[in-house]
Amino acid sequence: QVQLVESGGGLVQAGGSLRLSCAASGDTHCISAMGWYRQAPEKERELVTGITKGGSTNYADSVKGRFTISRDSAKNMLYLQMNSLKPEDTAVYYCNADYSDDSCRMTPDWVYYGMDYWGKGTLVTVSS
C-alpha cells in the first residue's frame, strides 16, 4: 500500500507562485506513475499533470508553460511548481499514484496492483 500526503497549499495573489509537495510512503516501488489533479467547487476533478516512472510527462492545456511537475525518487517526493497563478487555478490539489509497476505482479503486492491512491488534498487559493 501507499500513503500520500500533500503540502504547500495556501493563499497567493494572481501572478504569484507556489510549490506543492507530495510525500509518498509505503511500498513505493510499485508506483508506475504519479500526478496532480485538482478540483474546484462544483466542478469535476481534472488532471493537471502526470509523470511516469520512466520520466514522461503530460500537462493540461490550461497549465502548460506555467506549471512543472518534478520528482525526487530517492526521497519519494513529488512536486508541482506553479508559476503565474491565476484565480481560475483555485482548487483543492490532490496527489495521485498509479500502483501498476510490472515488478509487483510477482510479489505479495499483487493484491494492490492496478489501484489508484490519493492524498487528502491541499487547498490553493489565488486572489485577483
Side-chain angles (χ1 to χ4, degrees), residues 33-101:
M34 297 187 71
W36 291 96
Y37 288 71
R38 67 186 181 186
Q39 187 168 22
E42 303 298 323
K43 289 192 173 183
E44 296 182 356
R45 188 173 298 187
E46 64 175 349
L47 174 67
V48 177
T49 178
I51 184 168
T52 68
K53 191 172 184 178
S56 298
T57 60
N58 59 3
Y59 295 89
D61 289 340
S62 59
V63 306
K64 286 181 179 177
R66 300 189 298 119
F67 290 11
T68 303
I69 189 170
S70 62
R71 67 186 179 191
D72 186 337
S73 57
K75 297 180 179 179
N76 292 321
M77 295 291 294
L78 183 74
Y79 304 100
L80 180 64
Q81 179 65 46
M82 305 185 294
N83 298 325
S84 302
L85 283 162
K86 305 174 181 179
E88 51 263 45
D89 294 319
T90 296
V92 177
Y93 284 72
Y94 298 91
C95 181
N96 168 262
D98 183 11
Y99 205 73
S100 302
D101 188 82

